[in-house]
């Protein structure tokens, strides 16, 4: 699954560490999500949506085939 976490995070002026702390996860988890290596749980996706001020469906989207 692709995502726009990095762009939204940067636009909000947050570091990976800050976003992780606010979301209750590690910086490494944020790195893995941004890199597309980890798909977050629904609860984490909704928390990230709230923190970044964007709907879940604008943050996460399926890869084009």
């Amino acid at each position: 699954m692709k995502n726009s976490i990095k762009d939204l995070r940067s636009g909000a002026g947050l570091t990976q560490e800050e976003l992780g702390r606010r979301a209750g996860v590690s910086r490494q988890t944020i790195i893995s999500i941004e890199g597309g290596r980890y798909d977050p749980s629904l609860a984490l996706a909704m928390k990230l949506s709230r923190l970044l001020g964007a709907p879940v469906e604008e943050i996460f989207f399926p890869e084009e085939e």
Side-chain angles (χ1 to χ4, degrees):
M1 183 173 297
K2 292 191 170 240
N3 67 74
S4 58
I5 295 283
K6 184 175 183 176
D7 293 335
L8 291 168
R9 177 184 57 75
S10 295
L14 296 169
T15 65
Q16 292 168 330
E17 181 74 31
E18 290 170 317
L19 181 58
R21 188 175 65 253
R22 291 181 186 189
V25 298
S26 69
R27 179 179 63 87
Q28 289 80 8
T29 298
I30 300 299
I31 290 169
S32 293
I33 293 170
E34 286 183 356
R37 294 180 301 278
Y38 175 72
D39 291 333
S41 67
L42 180 56
L44 179 54
M46 293 183 78
K47 189 177 283 189
L48 291 170
S49 170
R50 183 176 44 79
L51 290 168
L52 296 170
V56 171
E57 51 276 349
E58 287 183 17
I59 297 175
F60 299 97
F61 41 92
E63 293 186 44
E64 305 271 334
E65 291 189 28

